[in-house]
Amino acid sequence: AQKITQTQPGMFVQEKEAVTLDCTYDTSDPSYGLFWYKQPSSGEMIFLIYQGSYDQQNATEGRYSLNFQKARKSANLVISASQLGDSAMYFCAMRAGGGSYIPTFGRGTSLIVHP
Amino acid sequence: GAVVSQHPSWVICKSGTSVKIECRSLDFQATTMFWYRQFPKQSLMLMATSNEGSKATYEQGVEKDKFLINHASLTLSTLTVTSAHPEDSSFYICSAPGTGVTYEQYFGPGTRLTVT
């Protein structure tokens, strides 16, 4: 079985500063994918970044980067230069290998960016 | 590309009535779609997997007769909440997996259901 753990229910960050949202995972499958999604108050789920288990380098997408530490089974999201519009819920998710489409979601972290 | 729509975006219904929510993939075909339920400040809970041309697969604890799912075509899945009660009030989101190597989920914008 797969499990995603997000231990930070809420985080605060000052505008323009960087913030790290934690995510640890557990799976026995050697092939898996890790995702981060953003959910603003409107409710839509916005895909941010993806990391494959065999990817050698950490994924980056603009201001988002994923700090992938395979041995520790962690996949933390780093948001650089925070903006007020980054205030939202952030969900870490994992898809196990074997052709499974179904992701497992963490509980989420609520991020508030202060001006 | 890879847009998923949901209709309606919000609905208020009376207790005992049924409500149908549509999920459409607009620019790609989806043989599989997922239906989630989300309570305020909580994570997404997978309710069922909708399969085109076959019966849906429900997660443990989800009432099949209450949450009817029909995957009518390669671009449309519907969720019908039958005999709705106030405790069915929630945010319902559908998604479809992409066909790329990541199998990224493309989410609909969600439907907020309020049962009075």
Side-chain angles (χ1 to χ4, degrees):
Chain A
Q2 294 81 40
K3 186 177 180 181
I4 290 282
T5 303
Q6 292 181 256
T7 57
Q8 306 157 315
M11 289 285 286
F12 296 88
V13 66
Q14 204 73 26
E15 194 178 8
K16 300 181 184 178
E17 293 187 348
V19 63
T20 298
L21 306 184
D22 295 341
C23 172
T24 58
Y25 60 92
D26 191 23
T27 180
S28 57
D29 200 310
S31 175
Y32 51 88
L34 296 157
F35 304 83
W36 277 91
Y37 290 91
K38 172 185 178 181
Q39 188 180 40
S41 57
S42 59
E44 61 181 315
M45 294 287 284
I46 302 168
F47 166 74
L48 296 178
I49 198 166
Y50 168 82
Q51 180 86 41
S53 58
Y54 295 121
D55 293 343
Q56 295 296 313
Q57 294 188 335
N58 287 344
T60 60
E61 289 287 348
R63 294 187 299 110
Y64 305 107
S65 60
L66 200 151
N67 184 2
F68 182 45
Q69 299 189 38
K70 197 170 183 177
R72 295 184 177 183
K73 293 189 175 180
S74 74
N76 298 339
L77 176 71
V78 180
I79 305 175
S80 63
S82 296
Q83 301 172 356
L84 296 179
D86 293 334
S87 295
M89 283 291 290
Y90 288 81
F91 291 98
C92 180
M94 176 173 63
R95 171 193 56 79
S100 171
Y101 299 145
I102 303 175
T104 301
F105 286 88
R107 289 175 171 264
T109 296
S110 174
L111 176 66
I112 296 176
V113 180
H114 287 304
Chain B
V3 177
V4 174
S5 70
Q6 264 184 258
H7 179 80
S9 54
W10 61 270
V11 58
I12 301 173
C13 71
K14 291 188 176 181
S15 188
T17 61
S18 295
V19 174
K20 179 184 285 188
I21 302 170
E22 293 186 347
C23 178
R24 293 182 186 271
S25 56
L26 297 185
D27 50 2
F28 68 104
Q29 293 182 336
T31 56
T32 300
M33 288 184 175
F34 301 109
W35 285 96
Y36 297 87
R37 182 174 182 176
Q38 187 181 29
F39 291 106
K41 298 197 182 299
Q42 294 190 20
S43 187
L44 281 70
M45 181 190 78
L46 180 65
M47 299 175 65
T49 301
S50 172
N51 303 299
E52 190 269 337
S54 65
K55 291 183 179 180
T57 304
Y58 290 84
E59 296 299 302
Q60 192 173 7
V62 177
E63 299 176 60
K64 301 177 183 181
D65 295 332
K66 180 164 193 60
F67 299 100
L68 300 180
I69 290 173
N70 181 30
H71 202 130
S73 73
L74 289 172
T75 59
L76 173 64
S77 175
T78 60
L79 167 67
T80 301
V81 183
T82 63
S83 186
H85 289 104
E87 56 264 31
D88 298 325
S89 298
S90 189
F91 191 60
Y92 293 87
I93 310 176
C94 69
S95 74
T99 55
V101 65
T102 69
Y103 293 126
E104 170 194 343
Q105 293 293 320
Y106 298 110
F107 285 90
T111 297
R112 197 165 300 279
L113 170 64
T114 302
V115 184
T116 61

